[in-house]
Amino acid sequence: MVQEKNNQGSHVSRRSFLKNGALTAAGFMIVPRHVLGGKGFIAPSDRLRVAGIGVGGKGESDLSEIAKGPSDIAYLCDVDSRRAAASVARFPKAKFYKDFREMLDKEHKNIDAVTVSTPDHQHAVAAMAAMQLGKHVYVQKPLTHDIYEARMLSAAAKRYNVVTQMGNQGASGDGVRQMMEWYNAGTIGDVHTVYCWTDRPVWPQGIPWSSMKAEVPKELDWDLWLGTAPYKDYINKLVPFNWRGWWDYGTGALGDMGCHIIEPPFRILGLGYPTSVECSVGSVYVDEFKRGYFPESCPPSSHVILKFAGKNGKEVTFHWMDGGIQPERPEELGPNEIMGDGGNGAILIGTKGKMMCGTYGMNPTLLPTSRTKEVNIAKTIERVPEGHYVQWVNAAIAGYNSPKNKLISSPFSIAGPLTESLLMANLAIRSYDIRKEKEGKTSYPGRYIKLLWDGPNMKVTNFDDANQFVKRTYRQGWSLGV
């Protein structure tokens, strides 16, 4: 494949990728697994051929866990060969690519499923490209960078009949299932208030973009790393981790930890789209009475309040706190007892009691903690002994219409609305920084207001400027393909 590279685009255009992929597919008499999947389905192979997109860091651990199931890691793709080195060494038979579009274009007939463990801003385009070729997908959290992307991926999973899983592994844990059983049995009554908190960020936020241009490491394809994001010169200490604090690439503390901490109460209460959101945001002062203005960077801390319509018709108030901010300790919790797991946690307050957990729904606890051993509720929800990763592998082999797929822990039908909710919180945080100049006066119209959300139509109804954060405009050469 001939490649052209420039700072305004990328190696392989989305249009040529889809066209070439479709032509190549037409030349082979291959029936995808998702077409065959269903009752009585016998897979053409009892092993899943997996391609990894983003294989360093978390991607490396994702592939290592997936390899524990009946799978073969057949292809590796990463824009940074330094970060990919451990996976290349671990899976020496896997062919290596830098551009996922080239990999899918050339190798799709030999791939059953794809994992996506890139920075947040590349999740949607990589996952969508794989699904459009009929590949099952495992995508790291948060599912997407934007609300619109999450909605599109959720719809695509159903349209293309592929098995999907988001990388919030706590969704397969025993903790959330234990809490669901308590709640379903009426142990704490109807939940009306939820508190979730984290000690993240543990990377720099609330700072200006560096003015010091740096030399791009020879192992890194910077243009491919930028992908859908606007072109900027390379700076030090952005890759491989600190991108999380910049809106062009990451989704802040909410994106990093929200899917792990918000997921248990979200699932337990059967929540959908929020109806409103408001926030307060921590500030950095750069001089006396001079607040720093760094809208490209996530804030150092925030407190977001989301409102949901509960299943019983009663409103649920949902608090998110990050940057080390925590809610008041429940009066039922002893003075020396740890709240959540310390730095992170969730508390659900019902009409008859309270319960809490740590990250991933771990250590589920009724309050006071003595109730945890006193209350005995029968197990009514099937556990996932094989774990989050192998559950996805087994379901992908069985097929989209299989019973195993119906039991998948975090399919896009669940992960999509969850991701949309935490991104709605980010929309409020970003709206807080909208600045307007008129007649020499500066105003911040997105501050100190409540944003009203029309979930089905993905629109803020009372402050139109906020809607710019629902959907990004991709850099030339990149498209979601819908």
Side-chain angles (χ1 to χ4, degrees), residues 200-205 241-246 251-254 256-257 298:
R200 302 292 174 104
V202 291
W203 53 83
Q205 285 190 185
F241 188 67
N242 289 344
W243 54 265
R244 289 192 175 279
W246 299 97
T251 48
L254 267 158
D256 184 48
M257 295 302 291
C298 310

Side-chain angles (χ1 to χ4, degrees), residues 31-187:
V31 181
R33 291 176 188 270
H34 72 270
V35 174
L36 298 174
K39 187 175 182 180
F41 166 62
I42 300 175
S45 169
D46 59 357
R47 297 186 67 81
L48 195 70
R49 298 170 298 177
V50 178
I53 300 175
V55 300
K58 187 58 183 170
E60 177 192 347
S61 65
D62 285 345
L63 290 175
S64 296
E65 290 296 322
I66 286 167
K68 293 177 181 179
S71 64
D72 296 311
I73 309 304
Y75 299 94
L76 302 172
C77 181
D78 202 294
V79 300
D80 191 339
S81 57
R82 299 169 303 173
R83 297 285 290 168
S87 288
V88 169
R90 185 179 180 88
F91 305 106
K93 294 182 180 180
K95 188 174 180 179
F96 183 77
Y97 285 87
K98 279 204 166 183
D99 190 331
F100 73 81
R101 296 165 302 174
E102 181 184 4
M103 179 186 71
L104 292 175
D105 188 24
K106 291 182 177 180
E107 311 290 356
H108 66 88
K109 63 184 180 294
N110 301 313
I111 296 170
D112 299 315
V114 173
T115 65
V116 179
S117 305
T118 64
D120 302 350
H121 70 296
Q122 289 294 91
H123 283 188
V125 290
M128 183 66 82
M131 287 193 289
Q132 288 174 335
L133 290 171
K135 311 307 174 186
H136 308 297
V137 288
Y138 182 102
V139 182
Q140 257 308 321
K141 53 75 196 169
L143 183 61
T144 61
H145 183 279
D146 304 343
I147 294 170
Y148 173 81
E149 292 173 331
R151 189 72 60 90
M152 294 303 102
L153 287 197
S154 298
K158 185 176 181 180
R159 181 185 311 124
Y160 298 113
N161 294 343
V162 292
V163 176
T164 59
Q165 183 94 295
M166 185 170 72
N168 54 325
Q169 58 268 36
S172 290
D174 290 353
V176 65
R177 286 159 176 77
Q178 172 70 84
M179 295 174 76
M180 287 180 71
E181 288 162 349
W182 284 335
Y183 185 69
N184 292 343
T187 305

Side-chain angles (χ1 to χ4, degrees), residues 5 25 31 50 69 74 76 91 94 129 165 172 203 250 264 296 310 319 344 355 375 389 404 412 432 440 467 471:
K5 180 179 179 181
V31 181
V50 178
L76 302 172
F91 305 106
Q165 183 94 295
S172 290
W203 53 83
E296 294 178 308
H319 296 262
N344 311 277
M355 59 183 175
V375 175
Y389 295 91
K404 289 186 178 180
F412 290 0
Y432 191 90
N467 290 312
K471 178 185 178 183

